[in-house]
Amino acid sequence: MTVRLTARAAESAGEPERVERVERPPFRPLTIRTSYDAVACAAQFLRWLGFIGVRGLVPRPATGIDLRGPTVLGLVNATTLPARSREIETLWLHATLESASAIAFALAGFDRGSRHQADDLGLPLFVLDLTGRPQPVNEPAEALLRRGASDADA
């Protein structure tokens, strides 16, 4: 059994905040054949992590934000080119304005600039393979995968 104390509960119990690994059923991947599949897979993954109300936006809006939930915004780069730092910056700015978490997914990965920028911003990056299994690219993504959507995120 996993114990999970929020900051408020830990403080009232006189204990330091601790959030341990969240147990979830295995993620059920969605095979990716089209860009719509990639968006659907990323939305399913975010819901699996514990984000509520996540939906894919089709067709893709001019902002480039493909996923939206009450507390999360997501970018899904389903092209054959790595995601660029401008896409990461745009996602981060929109998420900041909406007080939401920002998470990026890409089929072809991320260029060096986007990875450095995401690391500086603490923005999780995931690579999607064609079997629909998101893989963490940076430490913020690994941390999100371990803890799931926190009480503040969900």
Side-chain angles (χ1 to χ4, degrees):
M1 177 177 198
T2 300
V3 175
R4 192 171 171 201
L5 291 176
T6 63
R8 190 174 301 140
E11 184 178 312
S12 66
E15 298 178 23
E17 179 182 355
R18 72 175 186 259
V19 177
E20 297 179 13
R21 185 181 190 104
V22 177
E23 291 186 32
R24 294 180 291 273
F27 176 66
R28 300 184 69 118
L30 174 70
T31 301
I32 297 173
R33 294 182 185 96
T34 68
S35 59
Y36 298 113
D37 292 341
V39 172
C41 179
Q44 181 173 313
F45 183 71
L46 290 177
R47 288 189 294 269
W48 177 78
L49 284 172
F51 290 97
I52 56 172
V54 178
R55 66 188 192 288
L57 304 177
V58 178
R60 187 179 207 198
T63 61
I65 306 301
D66 301 287
L67 302 167
R68 182 174 294 278
T71 60
V72 67
L73 293 178
L75 163 82
V76 181
N77 180 329
T79 69
T80 57
L81 299 173
R84 298 175 306 149
S85 58
R86 182 178 178 122
E87 293 173 283
I88 300 303
E89 182 178 15
T90 300
L91 172 62
W92 178 80
L93 287 170
H94 280 275
T96 300
L97 289 172
E98 296 187 28
S99 298
S101 297
I103 303 171
F105 298 86
L107 286 174
F110 300 87
D111 69 15
R112 188 178 313 203
S114 65
R115 288 184 69 170
H116 288 299
Q117 188 170 38
D119 287 342
D120 290 344
L121 298 171
L123 195 148
L125 302 177
F126 290 91
V127 170
L128 292 171
D129 64 23
L130 295 179
T131 66
R133 298 184 195 282
Q135 299 298 318
V137 172
N138 61 358
E139 178 54 38
E142 290 177 11
L144 178 61
L145 193 56
R146 279 191 306 273
R147 70 172 164 77
S150 68
D151 294 337
D153 295 330

